[in-house]
Amino acid sequence: MDERNGPRPHLLYFAIGFPPAAKSSAFRMRETANQFAAAGWDVTVVTIAEESWLRDSGVDHTLSESVDKRIRVVELPLSRADLETDVRLFSEERALDPAKWLSGFRAEALKSFPEPVFGGWRDALETAALELYRERSADLVLASCVPYVQLAAVRRLWEEHRAPYAVDFRDGWSLDVIDGVEAFPKDSEAGRWEAELLENALSLWVVNDQIADFYRTRYPEHAERVHVVRNGYDRDSVPEIEVRPTTGRNLVFGHLGTVSFSVPLLESVLAAWRAARVREPLLADARFEVRGHIGAGSNREANRHIEVLRAAADDGVVVGGAVPKAGVADVYGAWDALVLVIIGGPFMTSGKVYEYMATGLPIVSMHEADHDASRLLDGRPLWTGPRGLDEERLADAFCEAARMVVEASPEQRAAARDHGTGYARDSLMVTAVEHLTALALAQKPALSGGSGS
């Protein structure tokens, strides 16, 4: 055993997007790090400076409150130059021709690593990886992508120190999960990077079975290394079951999550809502609250999406802004039904669907019928079913959900909640961490007796 290692094995975790970054991936990263710490590991997380998130997706300090205090977080001074909004800091070229500057910026990034925008971070990440490894060697290196440039640091540590590593692709790299097609061929530069990384990886994590099948087919020689680790929900984000009286008040429907879907989809959802309020008396004075981040970077809260939402105010649509993690359960507790709007199809899984299921509230699906969310929701009581994206059918779904709100029995609500309880994030991640721990420690038998908590 390396003398620099204590009695606990050491995880070096590249997790750009770790709390307090206000990103959906932060929940998965936090749970991953926490479960490794609970399993007896010393954990070093590598991310970027908090200031960088202020110009990107924002920050949520309540996310950091439940990060295990034993975890060391290293923030690198990296940021996205393309998100800078202070024109006083622009070069003359950027000020005169922003589009040309952006094209050049992305081309320059691609010279370092096959990922526009983030490719230029490669040298800094590799340098940090080597320095951290010199301070204390790692018994496992794990990278959670995106950005994929983090893989360069992982590979560098393998090449120079043969540090065991694993990769959490989440949605995958060579798969376009939205359109369900190959993102790049195997003989491309990115394809060669991916193939070389998988050649020696202990494990590859993805978030659903369809993505796993894609990778097992693409790399049959590594099929046994591909594992599904679903996102799940955090137990503290789900309110206690409390049936709110529906007489004498207006119903409240809600959507919680980043508004990243297209404007046409948003317009279809709002048109369906408008039609449903005319058809169904229960919805005549109902509200539809939209909570969550709307856009990112300089476009956050200043984009076409927000204009469309605010224009629907007369239809009872309310824009409520982002919700701190600590306030999520209270938001769900104030709503009667949930509106699930997601892009993509069978390869796409929204992290929010797990929370939605576990609330026990009626759910209105606003996504393609053939979607991974449909597979998860199949058989759940108080779900309107997959209606596709036809506005008439979506309007009918809103009407049906309104009737569910007032007619659902306590037994149906409990069964709806039970349908989602098997997807608690901590339970899913503890199993994944146990498996990866066994693989990593098998690489260094001398550590197997020294991983106590």
Side-chain angles (χ1 to χ4, degrees), residues 88-424:
R88 295 171 298 180
L89 301 177
F90 285 13
S91 66
E92 181 178 358
E93 178 192 6
R94 183 175 187 180
L96 294 174
D97 194 339
K100 181 180 179 181
W101 177 88
L102 182 59
S103 177
F105 169 78
R106 291 175 174 172
E108 191 65 27
L110 288 169
K111 292 178 182 178
S112 298
F113 185 85
E115 184 177 28
V117 180
F118 300 108
W121 291 2
R122 177 181 175 179
D123 287 346
L125 285 166
E126 289 187 358
T127 298
L130 294 171
E131 289 177 352
L132 289 168
Y133 196 90
R134 279 194 293 269
E135 290 178 14
R136 181 175 179 187
S137 61
D139 303 293
L140 176 65
V141 182
L142 176 62
S144 182
C145 307
V146 297
Y148 300 102
V149 69
Q150 295 175 104
L151 298 174
V154 170
R155 192 175 78 170
R156 185 70 179 272
L157 289 176
W158 170 257
E159 290 174 344
E160 295 204 13
H161 299 287
R162 285 298 185 260
Y165 67 89
V167 178
D168 183 5
F169 265 164
R170 305 202 304 263
D171 286 338
W173 189 11
S174 56
L175 171 67
D176 180 337
V177 296
I178 296 176
D179 294 327
V181 297
E182 180 185 63
F184 49 78
K186 293 182 72 173
D187 61 357
S188 65
E189 185 181 3
R192 290 190 292 272
W193 266 92
E194 183 179 77
E196 290 175 11
L197 260 296
L198 294 185
E199 182 69 31
N200 296 295
L202 295 177
S203 183
L204 172 67
W205 291 358
V206 294
V207 298
N208 65 38
D209 295 305
Q210 294 75 247
I211 299 173
D213 289 342
F214 170 86
Y215 272 103
R216 288 168 183 152
T217 300
R218 187 176 179 87
Y219 302 101
E221 68 277 21
H222 304 314
E224 75 286 352
R225 302 182 191 176
V226 180
H227 301 281
V228 176
V229 182
R230 286 190 171 270
N231 278 318
Y233 71 95
D234 298 310
R235 297 179 193 272
D236 60 1
S237 294
V238 177
E240 295 296 323
I241 294 180
E242 181 180 348
V243 180
R244 304 169 66 219
T246 56
T247 55
R249 67 173 181 81
N250 300 331
L251 299 185
V252 183
F253 282 56
H255 173 275
L256 176 59
T258 302
V259 177
S260 58
F261 40 87
S262 69
V263 170
L265 175 54
L266 175 60
E267 290 174 331
S268 291
V269 170
L270 296 179
W273 169 255
R274 188 181 308 113
R277 293 179 88 231
V278 173
R279 292 181 201 171
E280 175 53 63
L282 290 169
L283 293 174
D285 296 310
R287 290 201 317 277
F288 179 10
E289 296 185 1
V290 178
R291 303 296 306 271
H293 291 283
I294 302 177
S298 60
N299 291 323
R300 195 160 66 239
E301 309 298 334
N303 49 48
R304 179 60 181 157
H305 292 82
I306 200 76
E307 293 173 359
V308 170
L309 286 166
R310 288 174 177 163
D314 290 344
D315 299 319
V317 177
V318 178
V319 182
V323 181
K325 180 64 170 175
V328 169
D330 289 340
V331 168
Y332 285 134
W335 288 347
D336 297 300
L338 305 176
V339 183
L340 183 63
V341 189
I342 324 172
I343 59 175
F347 291 97
M348 189 73 175
T349 303
S350 164
K352 280 299 173 186
V353 69
Y354 302 101
E355 269 181 13
Y356 276 31
M357 289 193 298
T359 64
L361 295 171
I363 297 175
V364 187
S365 274
M366 303 265 156
H367 52 73
E368 294 286 356
D370 186 11
H371 197 286
D372 191 53
S374 298
R375 293 175 173 81
L376 288 167
L377 286 160
D378 187 36
R380 181 192 188 269
L382 307 185
W383 175 46
T384 60
R387 303 296 180 94
L389 299 176
D390 177 77
E391 289 181 12
E392 284 296 309
R393 300 192 69 197
L394 294 182
D396 288 341
F398 273 124
C399 296
E400 182 181 342
R403 293 189 289 272
M404 288 178 179
V405 171
V406 299
E407 297 172 2
S409 68
E411 292 76 18
Q412 285 177 307
R413 291 180 181 274
R417 187 179 179 110
D418 288 345
H419 184 89
T421 54
Y423 296 100

Side-chain angles (χ1 to χ4, degrees), residues 32-104:
T32 301
N34 280 352
Q35 289 299 337
F36 268 103
W41 290 72
D42 287 335
V43 179
T44 300
V45 171
V46 181
T47 182
I48 62 175
E50 177 179 325
E51 292 76 14
S52 300
W53 298 116
L54 294 176
R55 66 166 71 166
D56 190 333
S57 57
V59 298
D60 177 1
H61 288 288
T62 68
L63 279 170
S64 302
E65 293 172 0
S66 55
V67 173
D68 193 300
K69 304 307 179 187
R70 295 170 292 184
I71 294 171
R72 176 192 180 194
V73 179
V74 177
E75 295 184 347
L76 303 182
L78 293 170
S79 62
R80 287 184 55 181
D82 59 315
L83 295 183
E84 179 59 68
T85 57
D86 188 345
V87 295
R88 295 171 298 180
L89 301 177
F90 285 13
S91 66
E92 181 178 358
E93 178 192 6
R94 183 175 187 180
L96 294 174
D97 194 339
K100 181 180 179 181
W101 177 88
L102 182 59
S103 177

